[in-house]
Amino acid sequence: MRWLVQWLVTACILLAMSSLLNGIEVASLGAALLASFLLSILNLVVKPILVILTLPVTILTLGLFLLVINGATLYLTAAIMGDAFVLSNFVMALFAALLISIANLFIQDSLQAVKK
């Protein structure tokens, strides 16, 4: 249930960012859903490998390098998706990853509050 909510919220965030920001383009709702699904798969498979490989840098930056890793997985998602999901540059991927992380944080807090 939680994964499904995060998947849908991430797709909605991608759609909202594409209409608000110039550096992000999402072709359709289906493309946003597919990008969100692909991002969740990459976060499941690729992100742990990147976290382990960059552990010294992550420790030195007190965890802030995890934002770069999130941006890299989002940028990789855009590269795999092609014209359906486009990020203009890596800085836009970092910004989008930050917004997605903040939104998912609020959603997780809301879901935990509902359970109590």
Side-chain angles (χ1 to χ4, degrees), residues 36-54:
S36 178
F37 179 74
L38 185 59
L39 181 62
S40 67
I41 297 299
L42 288 175
N43 281 338
L44 188 68
V45 176
V46 175
K47 187 177 174 181
I49 296 168
L50 291 176
V51 168
I52 290 171
L53 290 176
T54 61

Side-chain angles (χ1 to χ4, degrees), residues 75-91:
Y75 202 67
L76 181 61
T77 301
I80 292 171
M81 290 283 298
D83 290 337
F85 175 52
V86 178
L87 291 169
S88 61
N89 53 29
F90 190 71
V91 174

Side-chain angles (χ1 to χ4, degrees), residues 11 15 18 25-34 83-85:
L15 279 175
S18 71
E25 296 177 23
V26 179
S28 64
L29 175 62
L33 289 170
L34 182 61
D83 290 337
F85 175 52

